[in-house]
Amino acid sequence: MVAKIPMTKKGEQALRAELEKLKSEDRPRVIEAIAEAREHGDLKENAEYHAAREQQGFIEGRIRELEHKLSHANVIDVTTLPQNGKVVFGTTVELEDADSGEEMTYKIVGEDEADIKSGLLSNTSPIARALLGKEEGETVEVTIPGGRKMLEIVTVRYEA
């Protein structure tokens, strides 16, 4: 049995858009490039042909990967969940470092959506794993590559 892959609605939409672009734009373009390169003659020494074939392999691999992820997706719409202050997949969490007072905000998302610079934290990261299941007001000890941190959960928001 294949495990479900958690993702937000926004993450699912992004993967579907990428899949559509690969199938409708990138795949036809590379097929055309292969056909054009074949017309140049000897394929053994034809760099354009080999580059196009390699690109075709990457595109087809990515299409398979996206189709797999979407077919096993567990799309979680956090706005439909009970808003009880508990940290769950898809929630936005405002934290305060107990030592420095630094404030930070993260949305807990799937691995494909994660982008730490945009505040999108993978549900498999050490911080997210420590936060999941906790509630507003709790202080959580997190072990990260830089050492241990004590983070207080200030607010949990259930927004799309």
Side-chain angles (χ1 to χ4, degrees):
M1 186 172 141
V2 178
K4 289 289 187 182
I5 301 168
M7 62 181 69
T8 63
K9 284 179 85 170
K10 192 174 185 178
E12 179 201 27
Q13 291 166 348
L15 290 183
R16 288 198 187 284
E18 181 183 354
L19 180 61
E20 180 60 30
K21 180 183 179 297
L22 286 169
K23 286 181 166 182
S24 65
E25 295 175 28
D26 297 349
R27 182 190 268 167
R29 181 178 37 78
V30 79
I31 289 171
E32 188 178 310
I34 290 170
E36 197 175 297
R38 275 194 174 131
E39 293 174 7
H40 294 292
D42 185 15
L43 298 180
K44 288 181 183 172
E45 296 180 18
N46 188 329
E48 287 112 14
Y49 174 78
H50 292 290
R53 291 289 302 198
E54 188 173 319
Q55 188 177 19
Q56 182 183 37
F58 287 126
I59 289 170
E60 295 302 326
R62 184 65 178 157
I63 287 172
R64 281 192 302 278
E65 179 184 5
L66 291 174
E67 287 175 338
H68 172 79
K69 286 179 179 180
L70 288 168
S71 70
H72 294 92
N74 180 16
V75 180
I76 298 167
D77 182 359
V78 74
T79 61
T80 64
L81 300 176
Q83 300 191 16
N84 55 11
K86 188 177 244 184
V87 179
V88 295
F89 182 91
T91 54
T92 301
V93 186
E94 291 180 30
L95 304 166
E96 183 178 323
D97 186 318
D99 297 326
S100 69
E102 177 189 358
E103 293 182 359
M104 54 205 93
T105 302
Y106 296 116
K107 181 175 181 108
I108 300 176
V109 298
E111 289 182 1
D112 289 307
E113 303 169 71
D115 179 8
I116 195 71
K117 290 180 182 148
S118 300
L120 301 174
L121 191 64
S122 169
N123 64 314
T124 60
S125 70
I127 294 174
R129 286 197 320 262
L131 293 172
L132 289 168
K134 303 297 189 282
E135 297 181 8
E136 279 183 15
E138 283 190 60
T139 300
V140 179
E141 183 177 359
V142 181
T143 303
I144 57 172
R148 290 174 128 33
K149 279 191 180 274
M150 296 299 287
L151 301 174
E152 181 185 343
I153 302 171
V154 179
T155 311
V156 179
R157 297 191 311 264
Y158 297 76
E159 54 195 22

